């Protein structure tokens, strides 16, 4: 019997597979496409997921940098600039890597970890039992597994077959057009990378620029073709009866900014995409017995601000260690249910954020007045910091001891100074095992009965005021220094009874 069957080999499914493999579970991943789709999709990652990739040893290979990730000095919220340099602690990270390369990196890591990835296999039915799930594939194959996870996107087959409702709102209030393009070199601003458009001015790079007629985004990614995107409102021609073309995008650009941009097609695979309307939905439940949902299968929302991969990959890491603990038999009662109780509120905040931003980019004089007010508010560090934490996911706090200031929060970037010199937390978390960091040496004996599950690292802690921390595999703090009784209770609550 297969322990865990994952349906979908996108970033979320592959990340979950890697997490399970690190925890000693060998999952099987099914992907209906025989080869990875080559069409460009997401253009990068924003938020705390960038730090997570560093903590799993994936950041250096994806970024090409040997140094840890650093916060970005600026971003946007609802097409309004966010000056993050005013913040004492900037939580916002970004990594400009295309989704196709992220998927390739995760597939390579999964192969290194022994994950069984089967491409060209499509799920068409499933049968749930009290002790297992039977998956029926299009070729007639039947696979039996202890748990089945749907990581198969917003139109999830797993969600439908499991009978899980997907309530929310579908609208047709906007039309978005996106393409990879080329433009004449003379149109590029050598200083900023923006587009110098005669009759309009400069379209800045990597920002949402709103006009009274729509939205335009110019993204000149280094080493690959730039992406140009527009969003218009319902009274704009949609041309839905015709395939998306560069000519349509060029016409849309002219409507949005009142000026023409000569567009050409890049060499190699090109993106040409038109989306009418959008969906905002969250699954009625993330779990139906032995069937679970992760990523877009559990929630969909507007793409503004780029929160999708941040949300989905952190779902996968939260679920991974809990599902592995359940499979291996040491999970405390109710641990697997905390996947939904912890992650659903995060999805709800992402939905709130994307809805607010969608309202701020809308047409009309009233929206223009609202934007003027928001622009004033965003000149204050307190408001900008709140928005930055919301967009990056740094405001996430899972239920924990209210008297413990770190419990339930993402672990800070601690450096442990031990007998072998300084070691970053990111180097200690690559195996995805629970960690007890102890600068006093007083807590190792408390954790000794859990030594089969929890690693203990001693040494002076730099980057935190805590003298000890218990860090979950998903890099959230379960406990920070207090009495030994609370540590013992936290070990039992998160990692089960001692051996």
């Amino acid at each position: 019997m297969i322990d865990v069957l994952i349906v979908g080999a996108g970033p979320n499914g592959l990340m979950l597979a890697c997490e399970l493999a690190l925890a000693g579970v060998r999952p099987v991943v099914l992907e209906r496409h025989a080869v990875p789709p080559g069409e460009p999709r997401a253009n990068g990652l924003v938020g705390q997921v960038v730090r997570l990739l560093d903590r799993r040893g994936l950041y250096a290979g994806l970024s090409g940098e040997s140094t840890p990730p650093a916060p970005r000095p600026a971003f946007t919220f609802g097409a309004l600039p966010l000056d993050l340099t005013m913040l004492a602690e900037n939580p916002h990270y970004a990594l400009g890597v295309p989704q196709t390369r992220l998927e390739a990196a995760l597939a390579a890591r999964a192969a290194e970890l022994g994950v069984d990835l089967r491409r060209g296999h499509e799920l068409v039915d499933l049968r749930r039992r009290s002790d297992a799930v039977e998956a029926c594939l299009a070729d007639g194959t039947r696979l039996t597994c202890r748990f089945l996870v749907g990581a198969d996107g917003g139109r999830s087959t797993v969600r439908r077959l499991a009978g899980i409702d997907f309530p929310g709102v579908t609208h047709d209030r906007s039309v978005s057009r996106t393409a990879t393009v080329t433009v004449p070199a003379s149109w590029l601003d050598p200083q900023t990378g923006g587009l110098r458009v005669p009759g309009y001015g400069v379209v800045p790079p990597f920002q949402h620029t709103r006009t009274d007629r729509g939205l335009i985004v110019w993204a000149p990614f280094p080493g690959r073709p730039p992406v140009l995107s527009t969003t218009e409102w319902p009274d704009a021609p949609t041309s839905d009866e015709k395939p998306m073309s560069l000519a349509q995008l060029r016409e849309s650009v002219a409507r949005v900014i009142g000026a023409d941009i000569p567009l050409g097609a890049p060499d190699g695979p090109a993106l040409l995409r038109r989306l009418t309307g959008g969906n905002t939905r969250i699954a009625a439940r993330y779990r139906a017995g032995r069937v679970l949902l992760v990523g877009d299968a559990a929630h969909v929302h507007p793409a503004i601000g780029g929160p999708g991969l941040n949300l989905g990959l952190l779902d996968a890491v939260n679920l991974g260690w809990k599902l592995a603990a359940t499979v291996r038999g040491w999970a405390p009662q109710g641990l697997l249910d905390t996947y939904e109780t912890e992650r659903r509120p995060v999805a709800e905040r992402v939905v709130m954020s994307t809805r607010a931003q969608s309202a701020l980019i809308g047409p009309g004089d009233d929206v223009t007045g609202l934007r003027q007010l928001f622009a004033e508010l965003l000149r204050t560090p307190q408001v900008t910091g709140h928005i930055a934490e919301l967009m990056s996911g740094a405001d996430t706090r899972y239920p924990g001891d209210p008297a413990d200031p770190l419990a339930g929060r993402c672990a800070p970037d601690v450096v442990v100074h031990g007998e072998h010199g300084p070691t970053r937390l990111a180097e200690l978390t690559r195996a995805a095992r629970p960690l007890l960091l102890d600068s006093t040496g007083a807590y190792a004996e408390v954790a000794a009965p859990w030594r089969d599950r929890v690693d203990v690292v001693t040494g002076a802690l730099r980057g935190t005021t805590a003298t000890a921390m218990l860090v979950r595999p998903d890099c959230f703090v379960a406990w920070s220094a207090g009495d030994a009784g609370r540590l013992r209770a936290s070990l039992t609550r998160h990692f089960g009874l001692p051996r």
Side-chain angles (χ1 to χ4, degrees):
M1 181 186 294
I2 297 168
D3 283 329
V4 179
L5 185 64
I6 301 171
V7 179
N12 301 319
L14 291 171
M15 190 74 188
L16 176 60
C18 291
E19 293 293 298
L20 290 168
L22 286 169
V25 175
R26 292 292 178 265
V28 173
V29 182
L30 301 181
E31 170 55 52
R32 65 186 180 89
H33 292 105
V35 296
E39 177 185 294
R41 299 183 69 187
N43 292 305
L45 301 103
V46 295
Q48 295 294 297
V49 68
V50 178
R51 296 172 70 203
L52 173 69
L53 293 176
D54 181 41
R55 292 174 173 184
R56 289 297 188 261
L58 292 164
Y59 176 78
L62 287 168
S63 67
E65 300 173 2
S66 58
T67 54
R72 296 302 173 98
F75 202 62
T76 61
F77 178 79
L80 293 166
L82 282 178
D83 177 9
L84 303 175
T85 61
M86 70 173 73
L87 303 181
E89 295 185 10
N90 179 0
H92 198 79
Y93 294 79
L95 177 60
V97 57
Q99 182 171 326
T100 50
R101 194 150 69 85
L102 174 64
E103 288 183 7
L106 290 172
R109 175 58 59 88
E112 291 172 4
L113 295 171
V115 171
D116 184 355
L117 172 56
R118 305 178 186 179
R119 297 191 183 275
H121 293 266
E122 183 176 2
L123 178 76
V124 294
D125 198 6
L126 61 84
R127 297 175 183 175
R128 290 183 287 162
R129 307 199 310 250
S130 61
D131 61 342
V133 180
E134 185 179 63
C136 306
L137 309 188
D139 63 1
T141 302
R142 295 179 182 271
L143 301 174
T144 304
C145 57
R146 296 179 64 185
F147 291 93
L148 186 145
V149 180
D152 50 345
R155 295 184 174 90
S156 172
T157 298
V158 172
R159 186 184 63 237
R160 175 178 57 80
L161 293 174
I164 298 176
D165 290 338
F166 203 35
V169 176
T170 298
H171 72 83
D172 57 0
R173 297 191 302 267
S174 62
V175 181
S176 298
R177 297 174 178 86
T178 304
T180 44
V181 300
T182 62
V183 298
S186 59
W187 286 59
L188 300 177
D189 186 328
Q191 300 299 319
T192 67
L195 269 178
R196 295 185 299 195
V197 182
Y200 172 77
V202 176
V203 178
F206 302 108
Q207 293 185 26
H208 294 80
T209 301
R210 175 191 179 267
T211 73
D212 289 336
R213 299 169 298 279
L215 195 76
I216 185 169
V217 182
W218 166 247
F221 294 103
R224 53 193 172 109
V227 175
L228 186 64
S229 179
T230 63
T231 300
E232 296 181 85
W233 319 122
D235 56 350
T238 62
S239 303
D240 276 343
E241 71 281 359
K242 300 177 182 178
M244 172 63 181
S245 66
L246 282 182
Q248 287 183 30
L249 179 60
R250 186 169 180 172
E251 293 167 0
S252 177
V253 168
R255 290 190 296 267
V256 170
I257 64 173
D260 185 46
I261 300 177
L263 302 178
D267 295 331
L271 169 65
L272 281 171
R273 183 171 61 213
R274 180 182 58 236
L275 297 175
T276 300
N279 285 305
T280 299
R281 298 179 179 275
I282 299 179
R285 46 189 171 144
Y286 285 19
R287 179 186 179 191
R290 293 178 176 272
V291 178
L292 299 106
L293 305 176
V294 71
D296 289 356
H299 40 67
V300 294
H301 47 77
I304 188 167
L309 286 173
N310 188 51
L311 181 59
L313 291 172
L314 292 176
D315 281 352
V317 174
N318 184 287
L319 175 60
W321 70 275
K322 297 172 180 178
L323 187 53
T326 303
V327 168
R328 298 189 65 187
W330 57 258
Q333 185 174 4
L335 179 68
L336 194 54
D337 289 328
T338 66
Y339 164 58
E340 178 171 353
T341 59
E342 289 186 348
R343 294 305 296 170
R344 174 180 286 277
V346 182
E348 290 170 347
R349 287 189 64 75
V350 168
V351 165
M352 180 264 288
S353 170
T354 55
R355 280 176 165 164
Q357 293 182 76
S358 297
L360 281 169
I361 66 172
D365 294 340
D366 290 343
V367 173
T368 299
L370 181 64
R371 291 176 59 80
Q372 290 170 344
L373 174 60
F374 260 78
E376 291 181 9
L377 294 172
L378 291 173
R379 296 189 190 109
T380 63
Q382 183 177 6
V383 174
T384 293
H386 184 91
I387 294 294
E389 289 203 340
L390 169 66
M391 295 189 71
S392 67
D395 63 348
T396 298
R397 181 165 187 176
Y398 300 144
D401 185 349
D404 187 335
L406 289 180
R409 295 192 179 277
C410 188
D413 287 324
V414 172
V415 178
V416 182
H417 290 260
E419 60 181 21
H420 300 296
T423 307
R424 297 173 55 231
L425 178 65
E427 299 172 75
L428 298 171
T429 55
R430 293 179 181 177
R433 283 177 57 83
L435 284 174
L436 176 62
L437 306 179
D438 183 8
S439 66
T440 69
Y443 297 105
E445 186 177 349
V446 176
W450 285 267
R451 61 182 176 270
D452 60 320
R453 275 158 266 168
V454 180
D455 294 336
V456 178
V457 179
T458 57
L461 304 183
R462 300 289 183 265
T464 180
T465 57
T467 56
M469 277 193 299
L470 179 63
V471 181
R472 305 181 342 176
D474 57 359
C475 298
F476 276 74
V477 177
W479 166 92
S480 66
D483 62 75
R486 287 187 175 181
L487 171 57
R488 191 175 293 108
S490 184
L491 285 162
T492 303
R493 182 169 63 254
H494 288 91
F495 309 121
L497 296 172
R499 185 173 60 179

